[in-house]
Amino acid sequence: MAACSREQIRFSDALERVQETQRGYLLALLRRNAGTQFGAKNNFSQIASVAEYQQRVPLNPYEIFTPYIEAIARGEANVLTTDPVRLFQPTSGSTSGSKLIPWTRASGNEFRRGIHPWLAALYQRQPALLKGTAYWSISPPATPLRTHGRLHVGFDHDAEYLGFLGKQLFSLVSSVPSSVALCRDVNEFRTRTLLSLLADEDLCLISVWSPTFLTTLLEDFVARQDEIVELLAKSSLSNARRRSELIRTIVRDNRGPIAFQQVWPNLKIVSCWTHGSSAIYAENLRRFFPTVEIQGKGLVATEAFVSLPFQEQADPILAVTSHFFEFQNPDTGEISLAHELAVGNEYQVIVTTGSGLYRYPLGDRIHVTGFVHGAPCFRFICREGLVSDLFGEKLHAAFVGKVVHHALAQQNIHPSFLLLAPVTDHQHETGYTLFIESELIPDPAALKQLLENGLAENFHYAHCRQLGQLSPVRLFHVRRNSKSAEAVYFEEMRNRKIKSSDVKMSLLDCHLGWERRFGGSME
């Protein structure tokens, strides 16, 4: 914890000097990488201010970096960074399908400058966490581990973000051994994860990315509880027999949802995404943990560590010591620095990082809610670039989110699952359908009209409706069968070769066929 405390002090000091901290980071990074291929092309050696950097270096989407990344894969040095590239981290792309992000020593340091202050603040506020164990998200790769050129692609598990000493600590306090991440079979992975967690009576912290990752894991236990408890009783895990008897008693005595807080009485915090499309699903965890604190993770992407929870009453704070940040107004295109943001405004995040991404649009939209000293606090809204465009309707995720949530608010509906996706009916007519899991929909016809009116504010959607290319909005009332809607969505994303810990709930999907995956009926 000493390293975490030192980084917390550094971070707290930087909150008072945001402009100076950001400028210092940027200029040091440019000096260090002035002799690289990218640095020479963009005259890094002649840049002496933030303004000059913005004038000389344009915004660079991933496609600009592709030839440089291919050069790195061939074994060339000093391409984007003077730091050697250790491996590539894969992430999904809007146009390229999959993107490969260089990972260097500087990358690890920058991520830890965000992770360490969060951990220090968390353990100071909840000192009981130091006495127990934790479950840190580890998940099997969606595809076999591979190489690109001469470099390995992807970490074996998420503990790699913590560095060497962090990995040693991970092995000492983790409820689930890191070897579980090597499971290629998802069912085996879930079974081994559940057995390790259920055998652990000292579990204090659960840290996952998507709340659905945890929900589907717990629902898997509910669906297979007799099998899992029997496997636990026969396992060689410490305290397995005693824990299996306790859990069997808890399952037998609970007439409603299984009280997982009785299974893990020392559990204090569940850390996961809580904003954007994940808000509904974080709240769904309450049925498993009604009194446990659910803490939002902030915005963390493969490319950059953007924000972290740091103060109890504030939204996540910009990770001002991790990278250099710029923010673009989505309506005007105006660029602002961290200290220039306005409360109440929305922005798109642009990052410059030690992995060799320079003025890279991250693709995330945020909403600024306040400041802590000089640093902005904000909530993640949605991914930019997610568009459904079957016939030219150009429905963007941010727009769809506003329309759907406004319509639901008008009818006071509080769903546990939402998804807008195209459906082709028996007459071969295609239109958008809102898949919704909710106990009550008071007026389906009125809700459909609200959705139709809202979507029609998009000129392109309205034009497609007028031409008869799209049929009117419909509702599909999802009924819970053996699997929740979350679990069905999660499995579909896994089928699309997305790693379990990378599955992000989205309100919009452009793929057909969801009506065959969910149980329920059209309204």
Side-chain angles (χ1 to χ4, degrees):
M1 288 300 295
C4 294
S5 296
R6 287 194 298 271
E7 204 60 60
Q8 180 192 25
I9 294 171
R10 180 186 178 193
F11 181 74
S12 297
D13 180 59
L15 295 179
E16 305 273 6
R17 303 179 295 104
V18 171
Q19 185 176 6
E20 178 185 344
T21 298
Q22 285 281 282
R23 182 177 64 249
Y25 167 90
L26 175 65
L27 296 182
L29 181 71
L30 298 181
R31 284 195 301 271
R32 191 164 68 243
N33 294 312
T36 63
Q37 293 179 26
F38 192 91
K41 180 179 179 180
N42 289 275
N43 298 309
F44 281 4
S45 62
Q46 299 178 30
I47 296 175
S49 69
V50 170
E52 288 180 7
Y53 177 63
Q54 293 175 319
Q55 291 167 4
R56 290 179 181 272
V57 182
L59 298 184
N60 291 300
Y62 180 77
E63 290 70 28
I64 297 298
F65 295 104
T66 301
Y68 295 96
I69 288 171
E70 292 302 319
I72 294 170
R74 292 193 298 268
E76 294 184 29
N78 294 318
V79 177
L80 291 170
T81 62
T82 55
D83 271 356
V85 176
R86 291 176 46 208
L87 52 80
F88 292 123
Q89 274 287 69
T91 187
S92 58
S94 57
T95 59
S96 57
S98 180
K99 299 183 291 187
L100 297 176
I101 307 302
W103 186 264
T104 66
R105 181 179 63 177
S107 307
N109 290 337
E110 290 172 355
F111 268 71
R112 286 188 285 278
R113 287 179 203 142
I115 294 171
H116 287 173
W118 166 59
L119 288 177
L122 181 64
Y123 280 85
Q124 284 176 7
R125 186 165 60 83
Q126 292 275 10
L129 296 175
L130 291 168
K131 301 177 182 178
T133 57
Y135 173 53
W136 300 91
S137 170
I138 55 176
S139 59
T143 56
L145 293 177
R146 59 190 176 93
T147 59
H148 185 71
R150 299 184 180 183
L151 290 176
H152 183 70
V153 175
F155 290 145
D156 289 335
H157 56 78
D158 293 343
E160 299 277 356
Y161 283 110
L162 302 175
F164 175 77
L165 292 177
K167 284 190 289 183
Q168 307 311 305
L169 177 64
F170 176 94
S171 65
L172 293 174
V173 303
S174 177
S175 289
V176 180
S178 59
S179 59
V180 171
L182 301 178
C183 293
R184 300 297 179 199
D185 181 78
V186 173
N187 290 327
E188 180 189 357
F189 163 77
R190 287 179 177 170
T191 298
R192 290 183 59 186
T193 299
L194 282 169
L195 292 177
S196 295
L197 288 172
L198 293 171
D200 186 1
E201 61 186 345
D202 297 320
L203 184 65
C204 290
L205 168 68
I206 295 176
S207 177
V208 297
W209 297 109
S210 172
T212 59
F213 178 87
L214 180 57
T215 301
T216 55
L217 188 66
L218 298 178
E219 287 182 344
D220 189 42
F221 170 75
V222 173
R224 304 165 54 208
Q225 53 191 287
D226 292 338
E227 173 195 352
I228 296 295
V229 171
E230 188 62 27
L231 287 172
L232 180 62
K234 295 178 179 178
S235 78
S236 59
L237 295 167
S238 178
N239 300 323
R241 180 170 295 278
R242 180 171 58 82
R243 289 286 291 171
S244 67
E245 293 172 355
L246 171 65
I247 293 167
R248 189 175 282 114
T249 300
I250 292 172
V251 169
R252 185 189 64 227
D253 293 346
N254 276 273
R255 297 180 179 177
I258 294 175
F260 282 97
Q261 286 182 221
Q262 292 178 257
V263 176
W264 299 298
N266 298 313
L267 184 63
K268 303 296 182 185
I269 288 179
V270 173
S271 170
C272 63
W273 291 323
T274 58
H275 295 151
S277 296
S278 292
I280 292 173
Y281 308 105
E283 192 59 32
N284 287 349
L285 284 174
R286 293 289 180 199
R287 74 178 188 270
F288 296 123
F289 306 108
T291 62
V292 172
E293 178 184 349
I294 297 177
Q295 183 190 60
K297 266 198 182 303
L299 176 53
V300 181
T302 302
E303 300 94 330
F305 195 108
V306 182
S307 67
L308 63 145
F310 193 67
Q311 291 194 353
E312 192 170 358
Q313 301 303 319
D315 281 325
I317 303 174
L318 182 68
V320 296
T321 58
S322 292
H323 317 291
F324 177 71
F325 296 97
E326 299 170 85
F327 301 86
Q328 186 170 37
N329 186 304
D331 297 321
T332 66
E334 181 183 359
I335 303 289
S336 300
L337 301 179
H339 65 284
E340 298 171 334
L341 301 188
V343 174
N345 283 5
E346 294 183 6
Y347 299 92
Q348 296 163 342
V349 182
I350 301 164
V351 297
T352 294
T353 76
S355 64
L357 300 177
Y358 302 97
R359 303 202 76 199
Y360 172 76
L362 194 57
D364 292 312
R365 182 181 289 207
I366 61 164
H367 174 82
V368 179
T369 58
F371 278 79
V372 171
H373 303 302
C377 304
F378 48 81
R379 295 188 170 202
F380 169 77
I381 299 176
C382 68
R383 287 283 299 165
E384 294 285 355
L386 177 56
V387 180
S388 186
D389 191 20
L390 301 180
F391 305 105
E393 65 273 20
K394 295 180 174 59
L395 288 179
H396 292 254
F399 170 74
V400 168
K402 290 178 181 179
V403 169
V404 171
H405 288 298
H406 174 74
L408 295 177
Q410 293 295 302
Q411 291 207 346
N412 197 29
I413 297 173
H414 303 283
S416 55
F417 179 85
L418 284 174
L419 179 69
L420 187 78
V423 170
T424 300
D425 62 20
H426 298 300
Q427 284 75 42
H428 305 290
E429 293 184 351
T430 300
Y432 284 88
T433 294
L434 183 67
F435 295 86
I436 178 170
E437 186 176 57
S438 178
E439 291 184 4
L440 181 65
I441 302 177
D443 192 339
L447 179 58
K448 286 188 282 188
Q449 192 59 54
L450 285 167
L451 292 169
E452 183 67 32
N453 293 344
L455 293 176
E457 292 180 9
N458 177 324
F459 168 80
H460 299 286
Y461 176 86
H463 187 61
C464 288
R465 286 282 292 113
Q466 290 170 354
L467 294 177
Q469 294 173 301
L470 287 170
S471 56
V473 172
R474 289 176 284 185
L475 292 180
F476 187 102
H477 198 172
V478 179
R479 305 283 200 269
R480 180 182 289 266
N481 295 327
S482 59
K483 293 181 181 178
S484 68
E486 281 180 75
V488 172
Y489 182 94
F490 193 86
E491 286 186 2
E492 171 60 20
M493 295 303 109
R494 284 287 305 173
N495 290 337
R496 296 182 192 177
K497 306 302 182 185
I498 299 175
K499 186 179 177 183
S500 297
S501 59
D502 290 341
V503 173
K504 299 176 182 178
M505 303 302 290
S506 175
L507 199 150
L508 178 66
D509 190 80
C510 58
H511 291 73
L512 294 162
W514 283 103
E515 72 280 7
R516 296 189 293 274
R517 297 178 178 89
F518 293 120
S521 60
M522 291 287 185
E523 293 283 353

